[in-house]
Amino acid sequence: MARIREAIAAWRAGGYAGASATSRALLDWWFATEHLVEQVDGAQSPFRYYFAQREAVETVIWLFDARGARDKFDLLRFDASGAVSSNMFDEDWPRYVVKMATGAGKTKVLALLIAWSYFHKLYEADSPLARNFLLIAPNIIVLDRLRADFDGLRIFFNDPVLPDNGHAGRNWRDDFQLALHIQDDVRIVRPTGNLFLTNIHRVYLGEVPEPSLDDDDLRDYFLAPFGAKPVGKTNDSRTDLGEIVREIDELAVFNDEAHHIHDPRMAWFKSIQDIHHRLLQKDLRLALQIDVTATPRHNSGAIFAQTVSDYPLVDHVIQLDGTGPADWRSVVAFFARQLLNDLRLVGGYDLLYPKVRDFLRAHLFDHPVDLDDLDDPVILAKKSVFNRIVGEAHADRLELDFAAFLDSAPDVQAFGKNYLAVGFKLDYVKADGELSTYTPDFIVRTLDGAVWLVETKGREELDLPQKMARLGLWCADATAASKEENGTRYGFVYVDQEGFTAHRPRDFGGLIAAFRAYQN
């Protein structure tokens, strides 16, 4: 994602070179044109999309339209970590996962990308996108929130989603012919121009016959059955939305709160896969899948390989707060305002703020905390897949100093702090014979393409030799296994605080030469 963010910034500065005329016109309207929107009191006020929303939309358009990243092999070209492989992608249609913090405006991103797909298909010759859309929520609660924005298509007209007629020589508003269908309330279904808003249970097939080798169509024989359709208040409807969307010839799928699609064995994923397979039978394919979520992680903690955009909560808090680097007060203020907005309250911030603060202090963690202790030291990194490297409170600064060294080293291409949430850890046998796990501190890619695992320590531990032996074995195995693919070489280095402080090298090559402990 770090490589993509840098490319998007350059693409934006260059006027969106390489994008289609339709995409450039829409991006110019959304993000470079001044807009006034009417408030509840009738007054006009300026409107501007959050940068998080802008970057998410730009990323999808850049990948699909400007760079032609239409499958997993195309996406692999933008991997800066070296840890992503094609077998991590379970779909064979274009799928982009957008990570956005809670409150960053995922619904507005969905509306912008729906409009982009519609107009791209309408105006661009041979466009592979779609003018029919399936917008899926995981449950009724999220569905009701989406309905509040999409009912009557109000989000497209209340926000400056649709350009004025005449912008870039097109009649955008006249040409935007979209019919909204909510759940099983499906009226006249036209060949194009349909937005199906539903929870996932309506997308499951109503009845799934037991497949056999005697079937004319053997596809279902090789796919696991979807399971029974959940019982709901409208299950007596004669309209089977799941069957209707499988009969459409052109379709893009948008998933809200898409962290629920973390397993290809789940019925949600299988339903989308089945829609794609139905299209393949007609020599067509699913045009696009967009997933938006604040937590695109598997149960193991690993981030979805399809994640192309990540705008962290702390950046969004800073943008809203406008007071510079965020501390716990900015976080409390953000969530207090978010609660007021979600509850549609026009006042009460002074009462809600201390309640949120007290909740963080006394109830959020498994023990009471001093909020000032939560303001960990941090550095802003340019070469890291994480834009902020956070140190542990009250810990020595070795990790932060080492991160700063990596960010400035001329022979380091990219690096990442191996936080527990990344999910990369190794099993090893401790000195006492017990089985345990070990998490290296840093993952580094150098300009020659090699990948290095780095362990930093302020003081030696009893199990350190066992950890380093296991790390060396893993690097040797990974190097041998990678010879069949790209030939990436893996290595490790142990960095002690005393040696690093006394003899800080100029580059990573110097570090490897100087710190030789446990290499033999």
Side-chain angles (χ1 to χ4, degrees):
M1 284 179 286
R3 183 180 297 174
I4 291 178
R5 291 193 79 180
E6 292 177 359
I8 295 299
W11 185 59
R12 182 188 307 122
Y16 303 119
S20 64
T22 300
S23 296
R24 289 197 305 272
L26 288 171
L27 291 168
D28 177 70
W29 174 261
W30 293 332
F31 308 128
T33 304
E34 293 185 359
H35 302 288
L36 294 175
V37 296
E38 185 174 343
Q39 303 300 307
V40 292
D41 60 359
Q44 298 282 323
S45 64
F47 177 94
R48 177 173 294 180
Y49 287 103
Y50 293 145
F51 185 77
Q53 297 161 346
R54 175 177 185 169
E55 187 175 64
V57 170
E58 289 174 333
T59 300
V60 171
I61 295 177
W62 179 75
L63 284 168
F64 192 94
D65 197 27
R67 299 303 301 269
R70 310 289 171 82
D71 58 32
K72 56 188 176 184
F73 300 105
D74 291 333
L75 286 178
L76 283 173
R77 292 187 285 122
F78 305 102
D79 171 38
S81 68
V84 180
S85 61
S86 60
N87 61 4
M88 296 179 180
F89 298 79
D90 298 298
E91 64 286 331
D92 53 3
W93 58 89
R95 179 188 176 194
Y96 305 135
V97 177
V98 175
K99 179 179 182 292
M100 293 183 67
T102 300
K106 296 188 290 290
T107 305
K108 293 185 184 296
V109 170
L110 292 171
L112 291 172
L113 290 175
I114 287 173
W116 166 69
S117 176
Y118 184 96
F119 287 122
H120 195 282
K121 183 67 175 179
L122 181 64
Y123 294 147
E124 295 296 324
D126 301 320
S127 170
L129 291 172
R131 287 166 292 175
N132 293 316
F133 309 98
L134 178 60
L135 177 51
I136 305 175
N139 51 51
I140 294 296
I141 296 174
V142 177
L143 179 67
D144 287 343
R145 174 174 57 78
L146 288 171
R147 181 171 185 167
D149 288 310
F150 282 93
D151 210 359
L153 303 177
R154 62 169 59 96
I155 192 171
F156 295 103
F157 294 95
N158 290 351
D159 290 352
V161 176
L162 306 179
D164 291 340
N165 286 340
H167 175 70
R170 299 286 190 182
N171 291 324
W172 307 86
R173 289 178 173 255
D174 291 347
D175 292 340
F176 190 71
Q177 301 296 320
L178 196 66
L180 177 66
H181 312 280
I182 301 178
Q183 297 280 68
D184 291 331
D185 183 19
V186 180
R187 299 179 298 279
I188 299 174
V189 179
R190 301 174 295 182
T192 59
N194 297 285
L195 171 56
F196 301 96
L197 174 59
T198 180
N199 66 339
I200 181 56
H201 305 96
R202 294 297 198 284
V203 185
Y204 299 156
L205 286 173
E207 296 181 1
V208 182
E210 193 69 20
S212 73
L213 282 172
D214 296 327
D215 294 339
D216 292 332
D217 175 14
L218 293 178
R219 183 192 64 248
D220 290 337
Y221 182 80
F222 296 102
L223 295 175
F226 295 119
K229 184 176 180 180
V231 177
K233 293 181 179 179
T234 61
N235 274 18
D236 57 350
S237 170
R238 295 183 179 180
T239 303
D240 188 340
L241 180 61
E243 195 61 48
I244 289 175
V245 296
R246 285 167 171 80
E247 295 300 322
I248 288 178
D249 290 344
E250 120 186 4
L251 186 68
V253 174
F254 291 77
N255 296 300
D256 196 7
E257 302 297 343
H259 50 277
H260 295 272
I261 320 176
H262 64 267
D263 191 330
R265 296 169 296 180
M266 294 181 65
W268 191 330
F269 180 88
K270 285 181 174 293
S271 294
I272 298 173
Q273 186 179 55
D274 185 63
I275 292 171
H276 177 64
H277 288 168
R278 295 285 185 97
L279 288 165
L280 288 178
Q281 291 179 345
K282 297 180 281 188
D283 292 326
L284 302 169
R285 72 195 305 248
L286 189 65
L288 184 67
Q289 178 181 334
I290 299 292
D291 300 340
V292 294
T293 175
T295 54
R297 297 183 182 277
H298 296 280
N299 289 338
S300 64
I303 295 176
F304 293 171
Q306 301 86 348
T307 305
V308 298
S309 179
D310 178 2
Y311 198 80
L313 173 62
V314 66
D315 283 1
H316 185 59
V317 170
I318 293 171
Q319 182 182 3
L320 293 182
D321 189 61
T323 59
D327 61 6
W328 66 263
R329 298 168 186 81
S330 300
V331 175
V332 172
F334 168 77
F335 282 112
R337 285 193 293 264
Q338 190 64 34
L339 285 169
L340 290 174
N341 181 64
D342 290 346
L343 296 172
R344 290 172 169 76
L345 299 176
V346 295
Y349 175 83
D350 56 331
L351 300 176
L352 193 56
Y353 181 96
K355 293 184 179 298
V356 174
R357 179 198 60 208
D358 294 343
F359 173 80
L360 294 181
R361 283 175 173 168
H363 303 291
L364 180 62
F365 305 97
D366 57 5
H367 58 85
V369 298
D370 183 345
L371 293 179
D372 288 323
D373 289 344
L374 301 180
D375 290 334
D376 295 340
V378 63
I379 69 167
L380 304 180
K382 296 179 181 179
K383 295 182 180 179
S384 174
V385 294
F386 307 110
N387 60 346
R388 282 172 167 77
I389 305 298
V390 181
E392 297 180 4
H394 304 306
D396 58 63
R397 287 190 53 89
L398 176 59
E399 287 191 355
L400 285 181
D401 289 344
F402 189 74
F405 159 73
L406 293 175
D407 205 44
S408 62
D411 52 352
V412 169
Q413 182 184 58
F415 75 95
K417 177 76 172 70
N418 188 29
Y419 298 107
L420 289 176
V422 173
F424 175 62
K425 56 186 177 181
L426 304 174
D427 295 326
Y428 80 104
V429 179
K430 298 169 63 176
D432 60 5
E434 293 290 327
L435 187 65
S436 185
T437 59
Y438 158 59
T439 303
D441 290 324
F442 290 90
I443 304 173
V444 181
R445 176 184 285 275
T446 49
L447 290 176
D448 61 0
V451 175
W452 295 85
L453 304 180
V454 182
E455 177 67 16
T456 58
K457 275 288 183 289
R459 57 183 178 84
E460 290 202 12
E461 302 172 347
L462 176 63
D463 296 320
L464 186 60
Q466 287 76 19
K467 291 180 179 179
M468 294 300 99
R470 178 67 181 94
L471 191 56
L473 179 62
W474 186 94
C475 290
D477 290 343
T479 299
S482 69
K483 288 182 179 179
E484 299 180 0
E485 288 193 17
N486 53 17
T488 299
R489 178 170 56 91
Y490 293 83
F492 78 96
V493 60
Y494 169 74
V495 179
D496 66 282
Q497 184 173 22
E498 182 178 357
F500 184 75
T501 302
H503 308 287
R504 181 166 177 154
R506 294 182 178 180
D507 53 29
F508 197 81
L511 181 89
I512 298 169
F515 290 82
R516 304 293 302 169
Y518 302 105
Q519 293 298 319
N520 298 322

